[in-house]
Amino acid sequence: MQRDEELLVALRRVIRAIDMRSKRLSREVGLTGPQLLVMQNIGKFPGIMVRQIAENINLSPATVTSILDRLE
């Protein structure tokens, strides 16, 4: 297998593991991974701005706003 193929297989394994963990988390806690990260940031930094949450968890402010709307 060429290096490129090895890298793609490794990335696929990581993505699959993240997907499985996210589904288990959703079943156990009732939140998706991104929702949990947003909630953790709000709990850790009361009064935090959407922009700051987005920077902390590497999402766009629009995505964080959408997550907050769904959580509300």
Side-chain angles (χ1 to χ4, degrees):
M1 196 179 311
Q2 293 181 358
R3 284 242 195 257
D4 292 346
E5 291 172 351
E6 290 174 7
L7 177 61
L8 290 174
V9 169
L11 285 172
R12 179 65 192 129
R13 285 184 182 141
V14 169
I15 291 167
R16 176 78 175 130
I18 290 169
D19 185 48
M20 290 172 61
R21 174 65 179 132
S22 181
K23 286 179 182 178
R24 185 174 53 178
L25 178 68
S26 183
R27 279 193 312 272
E28 293 174 0
V29 181
L31 297 172
T32 65
Q35 288 173 333
L36 183 58
L37 289 171
V38 168
M39 294 294 289
Q40 287 173 331
N41 266 257
I42 292 169
K44 190 173 184 180
F45 308 106
I48 190 170
M49 303 295 288
V50 169
R51 177 185 44 79
Q52 293 169 309
I53 295 171
E55 288 174 9
N56 291 349
I57 63 174
N58 200 31
L59 291 174
S60 73
T63 300
V64 172
T65 298
S66 177
I67 290 169
L68 289 168
D69 287 345
R70 279 184 265 131
L71 287 170
E72 186 177 45

